[in-house]
Amino acid sequence: MILITKRLFSLFTLLAAANFALAQNPLIRDQFTADPSARVFDGKLYVYPSHDIYCEENDGREDWFCMKDYHVFSSEDMMHWTDHGKIIDQDEVPWVDATTNSMWAPDCIEKDGKYYFYFPTKNKDKSTNGDRSSIGVAIADTPIGPFEPEAVPIAGVQGIDPNVFIDEEGQAYLYWSENKIYGAKLSDDMLELASEPRIFTELPQKGLIEGPFVFEREGVYYMTYPHVANETERLEYATSNHPLGPFEHQGVLMDESPTGCWTNHHSIVNYQNQWYLFYHHNDYSPDFDKNRAIRADSLFFDDNGAIQKVIPTLRGVGITAAKDQIQIDRYSHLSETGAEIEFIDPDNTFEGWKVVLSANDAWVQYNAVDFGNGNLQNVSIKAAAAAEGETLEIRLNDINGPIVSSIQLNKNASFITYEADLLQKLSGIQDLILVYKGKQSVAIDWLTFE
């Protein structure tokens, strides 16, 4: 496991210069990301995650969470993400103990035209908080920086996972965690506590609780947080009529990871009149859950304001343009037999996944593809087939829907690109279904329309 993870770290260093990503889930496909704080500034969506890497021996705590800096990503359609690069590095903050590599979950908020970035890490001055984490602030004039860190962290705060909420009157609140969840008012300059911290003892006290994220909807304040009620973290929430509570526990908004990823950390945002849950999972590092990847899925409320439980998906959110490379492995639905998702290269997982269809009539479905005004004429598909003369059918909207193209496959152990004409004009937003007609198997990387 460690050898594989170190290979991934080496691959990350090669990809670090990339500044653009196309993604479903995970959202960012060229580096590890975790603990996403999603914010809307001037009509654009920004995500401020932590940045997992693999710590080599004697570099921080080996085989544990290792984070040295922060990036910020933005999107206008939730499908195409721009990496604006590094905004804070532990070596650039005067008070940080850079030997600990502990730049964990951050947050960012705007007030009066300034952007305040909050981050936790260890303080080199042990007389302040001992070995407990402090929370610092960096300030910028734009959502992407440059951010200038304050010379000292916030006094009176010991813990991690900062979250900031500003109410309708303009009062800012800081929340954080250290085995329990704490909250206090912030001063007008956003740099000091303006009230004594409150411990939210009304929240569950059994099992680790951390990662608070507070938002308001229709006059109700929602406190959301990861909680280890059983073996790994699930996401829960409570509600109140005041930002500092008391809060009443309401339930679970996302269950524990089905594959055992120990942590989850999240944010909730309304973007273009739709609510979304941002969270993370160890998609690119299934054997080492300290290297994670951020995701997003739609979130809905009942009429009484209760949060409907979010079921994690690979398809994620957003409408995919037909001219993009459609990563069919980020499927919406998959046939129960004869269909599997595998890494293209298990040693270099950032190369992504493939769909393997290995039974006649096995299929994979990918929803919400925008074909535009009907001018597309052909389809290209990257695939590897185990036998000669077998077929992939592309259908619309249903397993028995109309066939819009049929691709005849050659026997090829490695991926090649096939091209075929479209049998009819396609327009608007449609769901795609690929159906395998054969006796052996085919692996599919992506398809695109031209």
Side-chain angles (χ1 to χ4, degrees), residues 330-385:
R330 309 294 86 190
Y331 64 88
S332 302
H333 303 286
L334 201 65
S335 59
E336 293 184 1
T337 58
E340 301 288 342
I341 306 299
E342 300 175 359
F343 283 116
I344 292 173
D345 182 350
D347 288 342
N348 292 328
T349 58
F350 286 116
E351 289 191 19
W353 296 266
K354 59 187 176 184
V355 178
V356 179
L357 303 178
S358 58
N360 191 50
D361 288 331
W363 54 270
V364 58
Q365 180 172 335
Y366 185 101
N367 289 350
V369 177
D370 187 358
F371 287 92
N373 57 11
N375 291 330
L376 301 174
Q377 298 181 357
N378 56 60
V379 60
S380 298
I381 186 165
K382 188 177 180 181

CSV table of all heavy atoms in Angstrom, one decimal, residues 330-385:
chain,number,residue,atom,x,y,z
A,330,ARG,N,-18.0,7.4,-14.8
A,330,ARG,CA,-18.7,8.1,-13.8
A,330,ARG,C,-20.2,8.0,-14.1
A,330,ARG,O,-20.9,8.9,-14.3
A,330,ARG,CB,-18.3,9.6,-13.8
A,330,ARG,CG,-16.8,9.8,-13.8
A,330,ARG,CD,-16.2,9.4,-12.5
A,330,ARG,NE,-15.8,8.0,-12.5
A,330,ARG,CZ,-15.4,7.4,-11.4
A,330,ARG,NH1,-15.4,8.0,-10.2
A,330,ARG,NH2,-15.1,6.1,-11.4
A,331,TYR,N,-20.7,6.8,-14.0
A,331,TYR,CA,-22.0,6.4,-14.5
A,331,TYR,C,-23.2,6.9,-13.6
A,331,TYR,O,-23.0,7.2,-12.4
A,331,TYR,CB,-22.1,4.9,-14.6
A,331,TYR,CG,-22.0,4.1,-13.3
A,331,TYR,CD1,-23.1,3.9,-12.5
A,331,TYR,CD2,-20.7,3.7,-12.9
A,331,TYR,CE1,-23.0,3.2,-11.4
A,331,TYR,CE2,-20.6,3.0,-11.7
A,331,TYR,CZ,-21.7,2.7,-10.9
A,331,TYR,OH,-21.6,2.1,-9.8
A,332,SER,N,-24.4,6.9,-14.2
A,332,SER,CA,-25.6,7.2,-13.4
A,332,SER,C,-26.2,5.8,-13.0
A,332,SER,O,-26.7,5.7,-11.9
A,332,SER,CB,-26.6,8.0,-14.2
A,332,SER,OG,-26.1,9.2,-14.6
A,333,HIS,N,-26.2,4.8,-13.9
A,333,HIS,CA,-26.7,3.5,-13.6
A,333,HIS,C,-25.8,2.5,-14.3
A,333,HIS,O,-25.2,2.8,-15.3
A,333,HIS,CB,-28.2,3.4,-14.0
A,333,HIS,CG,-29.1,4.4,-13.4
A,333,HIS,ND1,-29.5,4.3,-12.1
A,333,HIS,CD2,-29.7,5.5,-13.9
A,333,HIS,CE1,-30.3,5.4,-11.8
A,333,HIS,NE2,-30.4,6.1,-12.9
A,334,LEU,N,-25.8,1.3,-13.7
A,334,LEU,CA,-25.0,0.2,-14.3
A,334,LEU,C,-25.8,-1.1,-14.2
A,334,LEU,O,-26.5,-1.3,-13.2
A,334,LEU,CB,-23.7,0.1,-13.4
A,334,LEU,CG,-22.5,-0.6,-13.9
A,334,LEU,CD1,-21.9,0.2,-15.1
A,334,LEU,CD2,-21.4,-0.7,-12.8
A,335,SER,N,-25.7,-1.9,-15.2
A,335,SER,CA,-26.4,-3.2,-15.2
A,335,SER,C,-25.9,-4.1,-14.0
A,335,SER,O,-24.7,-4.0,-13.6
A,335,SER,CB,-26.2,-4.0,-16.5
A,335,SER,OG,-24.9,-4.2,-16.8
A,336,GLU,N,-26.8,-4.9,-13.4
A,336,GLU,CA,-26.4,-5.6,-12.2
A,336,GLU,C,-25.4,-6.7,-12.5
A,336,GLU,O,-24.7,-7.1,-11.6
A,336,GLU,CB,-27.7,-6.2,-11.6
A,336,GLU,CG,-28.7,-5.2,-11.1
A,336,GLU,CD,-29.9,-5.8,-10.4
A,336,GLU,OE1,-29.9,-7.0,-10.3
A,336,GLU,OE2,-30.7,-5.0,-9.9
A,337,THR,N,-25.4,-7.2,-13.7
A,337,THR,CA,-24.4,-8.3,-14.0
A,337,THR,C,-23.6,-7.8,-15.3
A,337,THR,O,-24.1,-7.1,-16.1
A,337,THR,CB,-25.1,-9.6,-14.4
A,337,THR,OG1,-26.0,-9.4,-15.4
A,337,THR,CG2,-25.9,-10.1,-13.1
A,338,GLY,N,-22.3,-8.3,-15.3
A,338,GLY,CA,-21.5,-8.0,-16.5
A,338,GLY,C,-21.0,-6.6,-16.6
A,338,GLY,O,-20.6,-6.3,-17.7
A,339,ALA,N,-21.0,-5.8,-15.6
A,339,ALA,CA,-20.5,-4.4,-15.7
A,339,ALA,C,-19.7,-4.1,-14.4
A,339,ALA,O,-20.2,-4.3,-13.3
A,339,ALA,CB,-21.7,-3.5,-15.8
A,340,GLU,N,-18.5,-3.6,-14.6
A,340,GLU,CA,-17.6,-3.3,-13.5
A,340,GLU,C,-16.8,-2.0,-13.8
A,340,GLU,O,-16.6,-1.7,-15.0
A,340,GLU,CB,-16.6,-4.4,-13.2
A,340,GLU,CG,-17.2,-5.8,-12.9
A,340,GLU,CD,-17.8,-5.8,-11.5
A,340,GLU,OE1,-17.5,-4.9,-10.7
A,340,GLU,OE2,-18.6,-6.7,-11.2
A,341,ILE,N,-16.4,-1.3,-12.8
A,341,ILE,CA,-15.6,-0.1,-12.9
A,341,ILE,C,-14.2,-0.5,-12.3
A,341,ILE,O,-14.1,-1.0,-11.2
A,341,ILE,CB,-16.1,1.1,-12.1
A,341,ILE,CG1,-17.6,1.4,-12.6
A,341,ILE,CG2,-15.3,2.3,-12.3
A,341,ILE,CD1,-17.7,1.7,-14.0
A,342,GLU,N,-13.1,-0.2,-13.1
A,342,GLU,CA,-11.8,-0.5,-12.7
A,342,GLU,C,-10.8,0.6,-13.0
A,342,GLU,O,-11.1,1.4,-13.9
A,342,GLU,CB,-11.3,-1.8,-13.4
A,342,GLU,CG,-12.1,-3.0,-13.2
A,342,GLU,CD,-11.6,-4.2,-14.1
A,342,GLU,OE1,-10.7,-4.0,-14.8
A,342,GLU,OE2,-12.2,-5.3,-13.9
A,343,PHE,N,-9.7,0.7,-12.3
A,343,PHE,CA,-8.7,1.7,-12.6
A,343,PHE,C,-8.1,1.3,-14.0
A,343,PHE,O,-7.8,0.1,-14.2
A,343,PHE,CB,-7.6,1.7,-11.6
A,343,PHE,CG,-8.0,2.5,-10.3
A,343,PHE,CD1,-8.0,1.8,-9.1
A,343,PHE,CD2,-8.2,3.8,-10.4
A,343,PHE,CE1,-8.4,2.5,-7.9
A,343,PHE,CE2,-8.6,4.5,-9.2
A,343,PHE,CZ,-8.6,3.9,-8.0
A,344,ILE,N,-7.7,2.3,-14.8
A,344,ILE,CA,-7.0,2.1,-16.0
A,344,ILE,C,-5.6,1.5,-15.6
A,344,ILE,O,-5.1,0.6,-16.2
A,344,ILE,CB,-6.9,3.3,-16.8
A,344,ILE,CG1,-8.3,3.7,-17.4
A,344,ILE,CG2,-5.9,3.2,-18.0
A,344,ILE,CD1,-8.4,5.0,-18.1
A,345,ASP,N,-5.0,2.2,-14.7
A,345,ASP,CA,-3.7,1.7,-14.2
A,345,ASP,C,-3.7,1.8,-12.6
A,345,ASP,O,-3.6,2.9,-12.1
A,345,ASP,CB,-2.6,2.6,-14.7
A,345,ASP,CG,-1.2,2.2,-14.3
A,345,ASP,OD1,-1.1,1.3,-13.4
A,345,ASP,OD2,-0.2,2.7,-14.8
A,346,PRO,N,-3.8,0.7,-11.9
A,346,PRO,CA,-3.9,0.7,-10.5
A,346,PRO,C,-2.7,1.4,-9.8
A,346,PRO,O,-2.8,1.9,-8.7
A,346,PRO,CB,-3.9,-0.7,-10.1
A,346,PRO,CG,-4.4,-1.4,-11.3
A,346,PRO,CD,-3.9,-0.7,-12.4
A,347,ASP,N,-1.5,1.5,-10.5
A,347,ASP,CA,-0.4,2.2,-9.9
A,347,ASP,C,-0.4,3.7,-10.1
A,347,ASP,O,0.3,4.4,-9.4
A,347,ASP,CB,0.9,1.6,-10.4
A,347,ASP,CG,1.2,0.2,-9.9
A,347,ASP,OD1,0.6,-0.2,-8.8
A,347,ASP,OD2,2.0,-0.5,-10.5
A,348,ASN,N,-1.1,4.1,-11.1
A,348,ASN,CA,-1.2,5.6,-11.4
A,348,ASN,C,-2.7,5.9,-11.5
A,348,ASN,O,-3.3,6.1,-12.6
A,348,ASN,CB,-0.5,5.9,-12.7
A,348,ASN,CG,1.0,5.8,-12.6
A,348,ASN,OD1,1.5,6.0,-11.6
A,348,ASN,ND2,1.6,5.3,-13.7
A,349,THR,N,-3.4,6.0,-10.4
A,349,THR,CA,-4.8,6.1,-10.4
A,349,THR,C,-5.4,7.4,-10.9
A,349,THR,O,-6.5,7.5,-11.3
A,349,THR,CB,-5.4,5.9,-8.9
A,349,THR,OG1,-4.8,6.9,-8.1
A,349,THR,CG2,-5.0,4.5,-8.4
A,350,PHE,N,-4.6,8.5,-11.0
A,350,PHE,CA,-5.0,9.7,-11.6
A,350,PHE,C,-5.3,9.5,-13.1
A,350,PHE,O,-5.8,10.5,-13.7
A,350,PHE,CB,-4.1,10.8,-11.4
A,350,PHE,CG,-4.1,11.4,-9.9
A,350,PHE,CD1,-3.0,11.2,-9.1
A,350,PHE,CD2,-5.2,11.9,-9.4
A,350,PHE,CE1,-3.0,11.7,-7.8
A,350,PHE,CE2,-5.3,12.4,-8.1
A,350,PHE,CZ,-4.2,12.3,-7.3
A,351,GLU,N,-4.9,8.4,-13.7
A,351,GLU,CA,-5.3,8.2,-15.1
A,351,GLU,C,-6.8,7.8,-15.2
A,351,GLU,O,-7.3,7.8,-16.3
A,351,GLU,CB,-4.4,7.0,-15.7
A,351,GLU,CG,-3.0,7.4,-15.9
A,351,GLU,CD,-2.3,6.3,-16.7
A,351,GLU,OE1,-3.0,5.5,-17.4
A,351,GLU,OE2,-1.0,6.3,-16.7
A,352,GLY,N,-7.4,7.6,-14.1
A,352,GLY,CA,-8.8,7.4,-14.1
A,352,GLY,C,-9.3,6.0,-14.2
A,352,GLY,O,-8.5,5.1,-14.0
A,353,TRP,N,-10.5,5.8,-14.6
A,353,TRP,CA,-11.2,4.5,-14.6
A,353,TRP,C,-11.7,4.1,-15.9
A,353,TRP,O,-11.7,4.9,-16.9
A,353,TRP,CB,-12.4,4.6,-13.6
A,353,TRP,CG,-12.1,4.8,-12.2
A,353,TRP,CD1,-11.9,3.9,-11.2
A,353,TRP,CD2,-11.9,6.1,-11.5
A,353,TRP,NE1,-11.6,4.5,-10.0
A,353,TRP,CE2,-11.6,5.9,-10.2
A,353,TRP,CE3,-12.0,7.4,-12.0
A,353,TRP,CZ2,-11.4,6.9,-9.3
A,353,TRP,CZ3,-11.8,8.5,-11.1
A,353,TRP,CH2,-11.5,8.2,-9.7
A,354,LYS,N,-12.1,2.9,-16.1
A,354,LYS,CA,-12.7,2.4,-17.3
A,354,LYS,C,-13.9,1.6,-16.9
A,354,LYS,O,-14.0,1.0,-15.8
A,354,LYS,CB,-11.7,1.5,-18.0
A,354,LYS,CG,-11.2,0.3,-17.2
A,354,LYS,CD,-10.1,-0.5,-18.0
A,354,LYS,CE,-9.5,-1.6,-17.1
A,354,LYS,NZ,-8.4,-2.3,-17.7
A,355,VAL,N,-14.9,1.4,-17.8
A,355,VAL,CA,-16.0,0.5,-17.6
A,355,VAL,C,-15.7,-0.8,-18.4
A,355,VAL,O,-15.2,-0.7,-19.5
A,355,VAL,CB,-17.3,1.1,-18.2
A,355,VAL,CG1,-18.5,0.2,-18.1
A,355,VAL,CG2,-17.6,2.5,-17.6
A,356,VAL,N,-15.9,-1.9,-17.7
A,356,VAL,CA,-15.7,-3.2,-18.3
A,356,VAL,C,-17.0,-3.9,-18.4
A,356,VAL,O,-17.7,-4.2,-17.4
A,356,VAL,CB,-14.7,-4.1,-17.6
A,356,VAL,CG1,-14.5,-5.4,-18.2
A,356,VAL,CG2,-13.3,-3.4,-17.5
A,357,LEU,N,-17.5,-4.1,-19.7
A,357,LEU,CA,-18.7,-4.8,-19.9
A,357,LEU,C,-18.4,-6.2,-20.4
A,357,LEU,O,-17.7,-6.4,-21.4
A,357,LEU,CB,-19.6,-4.1,-21.0
A,357,LEU,CG,-19.9,-2.6,-20.6
A,357,LEU,CD1,-20.7,-2.0,-21.8
A,357,LEU,CD2,-20.7,-2.5,-19.3
A,358,SER,N,-18.8,-7.2,-19.7
A,358,SER,CA,-18.3,-8.6,-19.9
A,358,SER,C,-19.4,-9.6,-20.1
A,358,SER,O,-19.2,-10.8,-20.0
A,358,SER,CB,-17.4,-9.0,-18.8
A,358,SER,OG,-18.1,-9.0,-17.5
A,359,ALA,N,-20.7,-9.2,-20.3
A,359,ALA,CA,-21.8,-10.1,-20.6
A,359,ALA,C,-22.6,-9.5,-21.7
A,359,ALA,O,-22.8,-8.3,-21.8
A,359,ALA,CB,-22.6,-10.4,-19.3
A,360,ASN,N,-23.2,-10.3,-22.5
A,360,ASN,CA,-24.1,-9.9,-23.6
A,360,ASN,C,-25.2,-9.1,-22.9
A,360,ASN,O,-25.9,-9.5,-22.0
A,360,ASN,CB,-24.7,-11.0,-24.4
A,360,ASN,CG,-25.4,-10.6,-25.6
A,360,ASN,OD1,-24.8,-9.8,-26.4
A,360,ASN,ND2,-26.6,-11.0,-25.8
A,361,ASP,N,-25.5,-7.9,-23.5
A,361,ASP,CA,-26.5,-7.0,-23.0
A,361,ASP,C,-26.2,-6.2,-21.7
A,361,ASP,O,-27.0,-5.5,-21.2
A,361,ASP,CB,-27.9,-7.7,-22.9
A,361,ASP,CG,-28.5,-8.0,-24.2
A,361,ASP,OD1,-28.3,-7.3,-25.2
A,361,ASP,OD2,-29.3,-9.0,-24.3
A,362,ALA,N,-24.9,-6.4,-21.3
A,362,ALA,CA,-24.5,-5.5,-20.2
A,362,ALA,C,-24.5,-4.1,-20.6
A,362,ALA,O,-24.2,-3.8,-21.8
A,362,ALA,CB,-23.1,-5.9,-19.7
A,363,TRP,N,-24.7,-3.1,-19.7
A,363,TRP,CA,-24.9,-1.8,-20.1
A,363,TRP,C,-24.4,-0.8,-19.0
A,363,TRP,O,-24.3,-1.2,-17.8
A,363,TRP,CB,-26.3,-1.4,-20.5
A,363,TRP,CG,-27.3,-1.8,-19.4
A,363,TRP,CD1,-28.0,-3.0,-19.2
A,363,TRP,CD2,-27.8,-0.9,-18.3
A,363,TRP,NE1,-28.8,-2.9,-18.1
A,363,TRP,CE2,-28.7,-1.7,-17.6
A,363,TRP,CE3,-27.5,0.4,-17.9
A,363,TRP,CZ2,-29.3,-1.2,-16.4
A,363,TRP,CZ3,-28.1,0.9,-16.8
A,363,TRP,CH2,-29.0,0.1,-16.1
A,364,VAL,N,-24.2,0.4,-19.4
A,364,VAL,CA,-23.8,1.5,-18.5
A,364,VAL,C,-24.6,2.8,-19.0
A,364,VAL,O,-24.7,3.0,-20.2
A,364,VAL,CB,-22.3,1.8,-18.5
A,364,VAL,CG1,-21.7,2.1,-19.8
A,364,VAL,CG2,-22.0,2.9,-17.5
A,365,GLN,N,-25.1,3.5,-18.1
A,365,GLN,CA,-25.9,4.7,-18.4
A,365,GLN,C,-25.3,6.0,-17.8
A,365,GLN,O,-24.8,6.0,-16.7
A,365,GLN,CB,-27.3,4.6,-17.8
A,365,GLN,CG,-28.2,5.8,-18.1
A,365,GLN,CD,-29.7,5.5,-17.8
A,365,GLN,OE1,-30.1,4.4,-17.7
A,365,GLN,NE2,-30.4,6.6,-17.5
A,366,TYR,N,-25.2,7.0,-18.6
A,366,TYR,CA,-24.7,8.3,-18.2
A,366,TYR,C,-25.7,9.4,-18.5
A,366,TYR,O,-26.1,9.6,-19.7
A,366,TYR,CB,-23.4,8.6,-18.9
A,366,TYR,CG,-22.6,9.9,-18.5
A,366,TYR,CD1,-21.6,9.8,-17.6
A,366,TYR,CD2,-23.0,11.1,-19.0
A,366,TYR,CE1,-20.9,10.9,-17.2
A,366,TYR,CE2,-22.3,12.3,-18.6
A,366,TYR,CZ,-21.3,12.2,-17.7
A,366,TYR,OH,-20.6,13.3,-17.3
A,367,ASN,N,-26.2,10.1,-17.5
A,367,ASN,CA,-27.3,11.0,-17.7
A,367,ASN,C,-26.8,12.5,-17.9
A,367,ASN,O,-25.7,12.9,-17.6
A,367,ASN,CB,-28.2,11.0,-16.4
A,367,ASN,CG,-29.0,9.7,-16.3
A,367,ASN,OD1,-29.0,8.9,-17.2
A,367,ASN,ND2,-29.6,9.5,-15.2
A,368,ALA,N,-27.7,13.2,-18.5
A,368,ALA,CA,-27.6,14.7,-18.7
A,368,ALA,C,-26.4,15.1,-19.6
A,368,ALA,O,-25.5,15.7,-19.1
A,368,ALA,CB,-27.6,15.4,-17.4
A,369,VAL,N,-26.6,14.7,-20.9
A,369,VAL,CA,-25.6,15.1,-21.9
A,369,VAL,C,-26.3,16.1,-22.8
A,369,VAL,O,-27.4,15.8,-23.3
A,369,VAL,CB,-25.1,13.9,-22.7
A,369,VAL,CG1,-24.1,14.4,-23.8
A,369,VAL,CG2,-24.4,12.9,-21.8
A,370,ASP,N,-25.6,17.3,-23.0
A,370,ASP,CA,-26.2,18.3,-23.9
A,370,ASP,C,-25.7,18.2,-25.3
A,370,ASP,O,-24.5,18.4,-25.5
A,370,ASP,CB,-25.9,19.7,-23.3
A,370,ASP,CG,-26.6,20.8,-24.0
A,370,ASP,OD1,-27.3,20.6,-24.9
A,370,ASP,OD2,-26.4,22.0,-23.5
A,371,PHE,N,-26.6,17.9,-26.2
A,371,PHE,CA,-26.2,17.8,-27.6
A,371,PHE,C,-26.4,19.0,-28.4
A,371,PHE,O,-26.2,19.0,-29.7
A,371,PHE,CB,-27.0,16.6,-28.3
A,371,PHE,CG,-26.6,15.3,-27.8
A,371,PHE,CD1,-27.2,14.7,-26.7
A,371,PHE,CD2,-25.6,14.6,-28.4
A,371,PHE,CE1,-26.8,13.4,-26.3
A,371,PHE,CE2,-25.1,13.3,-28.0
A,371,PHE,CZ,-25.7,12.8,-26.9
A,372,GLY,N,-26.8,20.1,-27.8
A,372,GLY,CA,-26.9,21.4,-28.5
A,372,GLY,C,-28.1,21.4,-29.5
A,372,GLY,O,-29.2,20.9,-29.2
A,373,ASN,N,-27.8,22.0,-30.7
A,373,ASN,CA,-28.8,22.3,-31.6
A,373,ASN,C,-28.9,21.2,-32.7
A,373,ASN,O,-29.6,21.5,-33.8
A,373,ASN,CB,-28.6,23.6,-32.3
A,373,ASN,CG,-27.2,23.8,-32.9
A,373,ASN,OD1,-26.5,22.8,-33.1
A,373,ASN,ND2,-26.9,25.0,-33.3
A,374,GLY,N,-28.3,20.1,-32.6
A,374,GLY,CA,-28.5,19.0,-33.6
A,374,GLY,C,-27.5,18.9,-34.7
A,374,GLY,O,-27.7,18.3,-35.7
A,375,ASN,N,-26.3,19.6,-34.6
A,375,ASN,CA,-25.4,19.7,-35.7
A,375,ASN,C,-24.3,18.6,-35.6
A,375,ASN,O,-23.4,18.5,-36.4
A,375,ASN,CB,-24.7,21.0,-35.7
A,375,ASN,CG,-25.6,22.1,-36.2
A,375,ASN,OD1,-26.6,21.9,-36.9
A,375,ASN,ND2,-25.4,23.3,-35.7
A,376,LEU,N,-24.3,17.8,-34.5
A,376,LEU,CA,-23.3,16.7,-34.4
A,376,LEU,C,-23.5,15.6,-35.4
A,376,LEU,O,-24.7,15.2,-35.7
A,376,LEU,CB,-23.3,16.2,-32.9
A,376,LEU,CG,-23.1,17.3,-31.9
A,376,LEU,CD1,-23.3,16.7,-30.5
A,376,LEU,CD2,-21.7,17.9,-32.0
A,377,GLN,N,-22.4,15.0,-35.9
A,377,GLN,CA,-22.6,14.0,-36.9
A,377,GLN,C,-22.0,12.7,-36.6
A,377,GLN,O,-22.3,11.7,-37.2
A,377,GLN,CB,-21.9,14.6,-38.2
A,377,GLN,CG,-22.6,15.8,-38.7
A,377,GLN,CD,-21.9,16.3,-40.0
A,377,GLN,OE1,-20.9,15.8,-40.5
A,377,GLN,NE2,-22.5,17.4,-40.6
A,378,ASN,N,-21.0,12.6,-35.7
A,378,ASN,CA,-20.4,11.3,-35.4
A,378,ASN,C,-19.9,11.2,-34.0
A,378,ASN,O,-20.0,12.2,-33.2
A,378,ASN,CB,-19.2,11.0,-36.4
A,378,ASN,CG,-18.1,12.1,-36.3
A,378,ASN,OD1,-17.6,12.4,-35.2
A,378,ASN,ND2,-17.9,12.8,-37.4
A,379,VAL,N,-19.6,10.0,-33.6
A,379,VAL,CA,-19.1,9.7,-32.2
A,379,VAL,C,-17.8,9.1,-32.3
A,379,VAL,O,-17.5,8.3,-33.2
A,379,VAL,CB,-20.2,8.8,-31.5
A,379,VAL,CG1,-20.3,7.5,-32.2
A,379,VAL,CG2,-19.7,8.6,-30.0
A,380,SER,N,-16.9,9.4,-31.3
A,380,SER,CA,-15.6,8.7,-31.1
A,380,SER,C,-15.6,8.1,-29.7
A,380,SER,O,-16.1,8.7,-28.8
A,380,SER,CB,-14.4,9.7,-31.2
A,380,SER,OG,-14.4,10.3,-32.5
A,381,ILE,N,-15.1,6.9,-29.7
A,381,ILE,CA,-15.1,6.2,-28.4
A,381,ILE,C,-13.7,5.5,-28.2
A,381,ILE,O,-13.2,4.8,-29.2
A,381,ILE,CB,-16.3,5.2,-28.3
A,381,ILE,CG1,-16.3,4.5,-26.9
A,381,ILE,CG2,-16.2,4.1,-29.4
A,381,ILE,CD1,-17.7,3.8,-26.7
A,382,LYS,N,-13.2,5.6,-27.1
A,382,LYS,CA,-11.9,5.0,-26.8
A,382,LYS,C,-12.2,3.7,-26.0
A,382,LYS,O,-12.7,3.7,-24.9
A,382,LYS,CB,-11.0,5.9,-25.9
A,382,LYS,CG,-9.6,5.4,-25.7
A,382,LYS,CD,-8.7,6.4,-24.9
A,382,LYS,CE,-7.3,5.9,-24.7
A,382,LYS,NZ,-6.5,6.8,-23.9
A,383,ALA,N,-11.8,2.5,-26.6
A,383,ALA,CA,-12.2,1.2,-26.1
A,383,ALA,C,-11.1,0.2,-26.4
A,383,ALA,O,-10.3,0.4,-27.3
A,383,ALA,CB,-13.5,0.8,-26.6
A,384,ALA,N,-11.2,-0.9,-25.6
A,384,ALA,CA,-10.3,-2.1,-25.9
A,384,ALA,C,-11.2,-3.3,-25.8
A,384,ALA,O,-11.9,-3.5,-24.8
A,384,ALA,CB,-9.2,-2.1,-24.8
A,385,ALA,N,-11.2,-4.1,-26.9
A,385,ALA,CA,-12.1,-5.2,-27.0
A,385,ALA,C,-11.3,-6.6,-26.9
A,385,ALA,O,-10.2,-6.7,-27.4
A,385,ALA,CB,-12.9,-5.2,-28.3
